[in-house]
Every structure is written in C-alpha cells, then in structure tokens.
Amino acid sequence: MQGKLKWWQKTLVYQVYPKSFLDTTGSGQGDIPGITSRLDYLKTLGVGAIWLTPVYPSPMVDNGYDISDYTAIDPSYGTMEDMEKLIAEAKKRDIRIVMDLVYNHSSDQHAWFQESKRSRDNAKADWYIWRDAKPDGSAPTNWRGIFGGSAWTWCEERQQYYLHTFAKAQPDLNWENPEVRQALYDAANFWLDKGVGGFRIDAIVYIKKPAFVDGEPDGEDGMVGIHEMTHDTPGILDFLHEFKANVFDGHDIFTVGEANGVAPSELKDWVGENGVFSMLFEFSHMNLNFPTSERWYAAEDWPLSKLKGALTASQRATATNGWYPIFFENHDQPRCVDKFFPADADPILAAKAMATVLLTLRGTPFIYEGQELGYTNVAWDTIDDYNDISSHGQYALAREEGCSHEQAMAGVHRFSRDNARTPMQWSRSRNAGFTTGTPWLPVHTDYRECCVEAEACDEASVLSYYRRISRLRREGEIAQVLQAGTYREVLADSESIYAYERSLDGKTVIVLVNFTTNNAPYDAALTEGAKRIDGSYPDSESGLLRPLEAVIYEKED
Ligand code: TEU
C-alpha cells in the first residue's frame, strides 16, 4: 500500500479539447481565454487539473497533434500571455494545467523538418527517420500508417523516404539522436518553468523503432499496420528513463503516458517504483472491439466479462505499485454511452452508470469534456462531413476492402473521433453558446436538453450526478476509502453486473452497476447490512438492479 497520497492521486482531471470548448472571438473555434473564463465551472466538478490537448502552433492536419513549434501558442488559441493567465488563474483555484507533449513526431512544417528534408548532410539531416527506397523504388517497408496508406512518404529533395507513424504531415522524430532528445527535453522544461502541473505524453509507445523489415501483410493491400511492428520496441524504456531524469524528476507534477498496446501486466515497468511515469493510459479496456487490427467496419462485440477483466487486471497491476488513470473517453474515442452500452440504453442512465465506475475505481479519474453532460455520438451523412483524419482513412480502408458506402459509414458513425470533438454545449441559445460565429464542427442536435444551462438546475441530470459523486470521492470518510482503499471484484461471473468493493480501515464501499437494459438480480447477501449512499435511481432494492442502475453502498466490518 502506498504511503500518503499525492495531490494528483486525490483529485480529478478534466480533459479540455480547446478547439471545441469555448470561443471568445467569434472565429468558430475555441480558445484559451474561453477556458480561463470557465474555470469556475470546472471547479464545481472538483477538478484539480486540466489536461489541454495541444495548443501549440500547428497546420492542424491532425488538429494540433502536428506541431510546428513546441514552445509557442497557436494564434487561433490566443497568445503566450493568455496561456500564462490561464495557468495563474487556474492556480488561484487550486487547478493545475497539464500540457500534451507530442514527441513521437512533429509537423512537416516544423523548422527542424524543413531543414532535415533539404539534404542528406545538413545539421538536422538525422533528426527524422530517413531511408533509401527498395531497389525497385518502393517504400523501405510495407508498413501501413495509423491513419491509412503507406507509413513512408517519398521526398524529392532528398531522394529518400521518411517515416510517419500517423499522417504524412507528421514525420517521426529520430530519438536515437541525442540532440533531438535534448531539444525535446528543453521544450518540456520550458513549460515547467511556466508553472504547468504535469504532462500527458502522446503516442509514446512508438518512439523506439525496430529493424526496418517487412511484416506479414494483414490485408489485401499487402501492408501491415505499423502499430504491430513498432509499438513497445525493446530499449524504449531507456529513452524514457533519460526523459524522466532530465525533465520530470524533482518536480511536484504528474505525468501520464499514452501507451496503446502496453498490457496491464507490463505496467510495473512503466509506472511505480521502477517506472517512468506517474500513470499510464493503457487501452486494454478501450480496445475490446478490436482484438486484432483496428478496422472500424469490422468491430467485434464483447461480453461484459471482458471489460471487467481488463479493468480488474489494471486495478491489480497498480494495487501496490504505481497508479491508474481511470478513463472511458478522450478526444480519440466515441462517447462512452454509445461505446459501452446496448443500443437501446437510456443515455442518461448509461452516462450515470459509467460515471459511477469512473469515480469509484482506484486511481485518478479523467473526465473528458462533455462526458459530464452525458454526450452521445453524432451521425453525419457523408464522409465529407467529417473533419477527423482517421475517419477518412478508415472509410477509405473499408471501401478498398469491399464495404458498401453504408457499411463504411456505419463504422465511421460508431468510432469517428469527431464524436468526441463536437462543440461544448453551454446553453440552450444559438450554437449552444459555444460561438457567435460558425462552429468549426456542427453542434450536436441534442444541445437544448444536454447542456450546462439545462443540467445545472436539474437534480436528476448527468451533470448533477457527476458533481455529487465527485464530492463523495473528495470529501468526508467515504472519500478516504474511494481514494486509498483496496479494490476487490465481486460477482465476477456476472455478464450483467460489474461489482466491486473498496475497503480501508474497517470500512467497505460496495459499487454495483448493471450494464444491461434488463433487470439484473444478484445475491442480496452481498449488500446485507449495508447502507445505500447514492445511486442513479432515487432508491434501490437489495438483490436487484433495474436497467442500467448504478448504486453505491457502505458497510462497516
Ligand atoms: O493518439 C495515438 C493513437 O492514435 C494510437 O494510440 C492509436 O489509438 C493506436 O495506435 C491504435 O491504432 C494520439 C492522439 O491522442 C491523437 O489524437 C493523435 O492523432 C495521434 O496521437 C497522433 O499524434
């Protein structure tokens, strides 16, 4: 058991997607002053840290994950003064700002790449991953980039290919070069000097490259997904230990690495005593639809036991060493109401069910913008309606592999990252109060009911539920148990109910959540003598959960 918990282990993190949060200029895009103006709203959720997705200068091919300057602010978001003001105003409210470090790749418009591509012998020639063509002129390997198409792009100027795990506008940096690593550490230290409270480190599993060899094709295009070839390559942790020593060590901050492909059993190398980060976003519970390759049109269904198994494995892996970042949404994922529940689920009950798990597992909860209002997915008619670059890649892949337009669009509707990126719904007024201009992405049609204005004054709303359960997690005796208590899964065999106990010093909190739209009976002995603390229905019946019901009990040993 850990000793005294640190500030970031006791708080909640809120993820802001700045482009969609609040526009103060009428441009149709959110900005930093918009975030500053809503800090008090975030405070009502008990938020102690805000993770901002990238706000650096960027051509926005991948909405800011293609960075052209690591130590400046994109003019569409405001100025460095705006950023300093946000950090200072947040601090006054005991909220820290967490920056996103996108260090696997930069934008192709970054000065480093512009120089690197010019020749094979310039000062930055070796800052990216350059390789000669195969003798027949084709790409060095048959790897498919995560957004589709070859992961290699030919550069006329250098007469070589460069590698890009994501879009061709996102060339991968060469971490083998110590100058590159130092430049990245310097940029992170620049933000520490500005007073940020931590970092989320993007796509970190790809920074170490393996041998450049062809892989077994996984599709008719003769290519293999680059993720399979390059994630978690041996030696990666040596880079990361160096990163930690040069940047993170000695600061009262938290770090959370994004590590798709790392299994719960591997967490001990990444977090805790011998690890490198405070927490790690591993995706074992998020990737259930894609046990092999991520093809949206071919998503597989999963039984509840798979979700429970993944969460339990992560809870166990961080029980005595390291710490878990609890999340069910982010800017790359569909809304959790649509992702984890049956199609006929009532969205309000489903949102509360997920909120219950998010706020009562052991770890630090990450709430994604709009999740606290119970956002649901959108479904636009054509692929041209979608901004998200990966939606275009997935649509093209589906069509190439024989899907009809309808089949390909069904996958996009279900998994598009734009589901998470529609503007924040503040009020019932035009554009949901997000902008006075034309929103860069359409506002969800449900905004009159699903918005802060409507939900703040409704005790039965998803927002009110988040505020209540968040308070339970932060204040009072139950909070101690929810923050520091042990985790033990109960009713493990149930395919309807996810249930667990959190215990500390003779007190146990029992959480029961029905993930189905049917009544779900359970052995009433489990909650015998226990007192109901809260739940998604106004009351509860021992031994029975109604559709999507979530309930929290407390009992003394
Ligand atoms: O996402 C990384 C990412 O896309 C992978 O983890 C992916 O989910 C996995 O390989 C399965 O295919 C981050 C950002 O969150 C995302 O918004 C960016 O587009 C991406 O990196 C590139 O920076």
Side-chain angles (χ1 to χ4, degrees):
M1 176 66 63
Q2 277 106 342
K4 208 172 158 312
L5 295 182
K6 302 202 172 65
W7 68 269
W8 49 266
Q9 295 175 301
K10 293 189 281 195
T11 197
L12 283 80
V13 184
Y14 187 92
Q15 184 190 349
V16 165
Y17 198 69
K19 200 171 177 180
S20 297
F21 194 65
L22 182 64
D23 172 20
T24 60
T25 66
S27 67
Q29 297 187 21
D31 45 50
I32 292 170
I35 304 167
T36 311
S37 73
R38 293 299 152 98
L39 288 170
D40 290 331
Y41 165 72
L42 298 179
K43 196 70 198 164
T44 68
L45 282 163
V47 166
I50 299 171
W51 153 27
L52 296 185
T53 58
V55 287
Y56 317 97
S58 164
M60 302 284 169
V61 169
D62 186 20
N63 275 329
Y65 281 93
D66 46 326
I67 296 170
S68 53
D69 184 347
Y70 286 105
T71 54
I73 298 294
D74 193 89
S76 68
Y77 289 127
T79 62
M80 190 58 84
E81 288 70 46
D82 292 331
M83 188 68 205
E84 285 162 357
K85 188 166 174 215
L86 171 60
I87 294 170
E89 286 298 318
K91 213 169 248 169
K92 278 188 203 161
R93 294 161 176 84
D94 209 15
I95 298 175
R96 314 208 189 169
I97 300 297
V98 171
M99 300 295 274
D100 210 318
L101 297 181
V102 188
Y103 280 0
N104 174 67
H105 47 270
S106 73
S107 161
D108 61 352
Q109 301 306 307
H110 196 295
W112 300 341
F113 187 75
Q114 290 296 312
E115 188 173 349
S116 188
K117 74 174 193 177
R118 233 178 285 138
S119 64
R120 297 185 191 200
D121 55 11
N122 67 74
K124 301 227 164 15
D126 192 27
W127 279 45
Y128 292 84
I129 317 268
W130 295 98
R131 287 290 178 281
D132 292 334
K134 279 182 179 164
D136 66 357
S138 63
T141 67
N142 67 341
W143 301 349
R144 186 191 309 106
I146 285 174
F147 295 153
S150 173
W152 297 94
T153 289
W154 177 250
C155 173
E156 274 302 315
E157 264 172 292
R158 258 182 84 138
Q159 293 287 301
Q160 275 186 314
Y161 281 94
Y162 66 88
L163 182 73
H164 47 89
T165 301
F166 297 91
K168 67 175 186 225
Q170 294 168 297
D172 281 32
L173 285 155
N174 180 14
W175 274 70
E176 300 295 337
N177 183 335
E179 285 177 32
V180 171
R181 302 203 299 273
Q182 191 57 51
L184 297 174
Y185 305 155
D186 290 348
N189 280 315
F190 170 91
W191 291 105
L192 282 177
D193 292 345
K194 293 263 175 224
V196 303
F199 298 110
R200 178 262 188 185
I201 301 98
D202 184 70
I204 202 65
V205 283
Y206 306 115
I207 60 171
K208 178 86 183 175
K209 311 303 177 202
F212 293 99
V213 294
D214 284 346
E216 189 64 41
D218 64 17
E220 282 167 24
D221 58 4
M223 289 196 264
V224 57
I226 188 170
H227 176 86
E228 297 315 317
M229 302 303 289
T230 62
H231 83 272
D232 207 2
T233 301
I236 188 169
L237 287 158
D238 298 337
F239 286 155
L240 294 175
H241 279 287
E242 184 191 88
F243 192 173
K244 176 174 179 272
N246 281 273
V247 182
F248 313 143
D249 275 349
H251 295 277
D252 184 22
I253 59 167
F254 76 80
T255 55
V256 54
E258 187 211 20
N260 204 335
V262 169
S265 57
E266 297 165 306
L267 281 172
K268 62 183 187 324
D269 298 327
W270 292 80
V271 298
E273 229 161 276
N274 302 316
V276 288
F277 297 123
S278 318
M279 301 176 263
L280 200 75
F281 288 130
E282 48 87 5
F283 286 72
S284 55
H285 65 301
M286 298 298 279
N287 287 341
L288 300 172
N289 292 113
F290 307 111
T292 50
S293 73
E294 187 173 330
R295 282 173 161 77
W296 293 355
Y297 73 84
E300 291 179 26
D301 291 337
W302 41 268
L304 184 65
S305 51
K306 289 263 186 219
L307 175 65
K308 302 199 307 182
L311 290 170
T312 295
S314 311
Q315 290 283 297
R316 283 192 187 143
T318 49
T320 54
N321 180 42
W323 196 249
Y324 183 63
I326 316 158
F327 77 106
F328 297 105
E329 287 193 11
N330 65 31
H331 64 292
D332 295 332
Q333 296 288 331
R335 293 295 179 170
C336 66
V337 164
D338 293 279
K339 183 173 171 123
F340 294 101
F341 297 91
D344 63 344
D346 172 77
I348 294 176
L349 283 172
K352 290 180 183 176
M354 206 81 247
T356 310
V357 180
L358 178 71
L359 299 173
T360 61
L361 279 178
R362 186 167 199 276
T364 298
F366 282 67
I367 303 174
Y368 178 69
E369 179 180 309
Q371 184 176 357
E372 79 279 18
L373 299 173
Y375 267 36
T376 53
N377 284 352
V378 289
W380 299 324
D381 294 341
T382 72
I383 190 62
D384 293 334
D385 297 327
Y386 284 81
N387 169 281
D388 164 31
I389 186 168
S390 70
S391 299
H392 290 266
Q394 286 282 346
Y395 179 84
L397 183 69
R399 294 307 302 267
E400 264 163 43
E401 296 187 348
C403 290
S404 66
H405 166 75
E406 287 72 23
Q407 286 166 326
M409 284 311 292
V412 170
H413 289 161
R414 209 163 151 204
F415 294 104
S416 173
R417 304 192 301 176
D418 281 346
N419 286 310
R421 299 177 180 184
T422 62
M424 182 71 176
Q425 295 163 195
W426 295 104
S427 71
R428 297 192 186 95
S429 52
R430 193 170 152 266
N431 296 329
F434 163 69
T435 180
T436 54
T438 307
W440 74 279
L441 209 60
V443 174
H444 198 298
T445 49
D446 68 2
Y447 74 89
R448 285 183 193 81
E449 300 82 50
C450 178
C451 67
V452 176
E453 184 187 10
E455 294 194 31
C457 54
D458 173 5
E459 271 182 35
S461 70
V462 176
L463 178 60
S464 297
Y465 191 76
Y466 263 91
R467 286 177 172 167
R468 244 175 34 231
I469 310 298
S470 162
R471 199 170 315 117
L472 190 67
R473 192 188 169 92
R474 286 176 292 121
E475 295 166 12
E477 266 183 52
I478 297 297
Q480 304 286 319
V481 183
L482 292 180
Q483 288 171 13
T486 54
Y487 165 94
R488 189 173 76 92
E489 189 184 5
V490 288
L491 308 179
D493 294 336
S494 172
E495 287 295 356
S496 309
I497 300 174
Y498 181 29
Y500 47 89
E501 294 180 343
R502 304 286 320 279
S503 305
L504 184 76
D505 298 337
K507 205 179 256 309
T508 294
V509 173
I510 310 168
V511 179
L512 296 140
V513 180
N514 179 3
F515 272 75
T516 74
T517 51
N518 303 314
N519 281 336
Y522 66 92
D523 182 355
L526 181 64
T527 48
E528 209 174 74
K531 181 177 132 220
R532 180 185 191 272
I533 310 177
D534 210 328
S536 60
Y537 281 62
D539 53 16
S540 302
E541 193 181 318
S542 189
L544 179 76
L545 294 178
R546 284 155 290 178
L548 304 164
E549 179 170 359
V551 58
I552 305 170
Y553 288 94
E554 129 185 50
K555 90 178 170 197
E556 308 281 340
D557 285 354

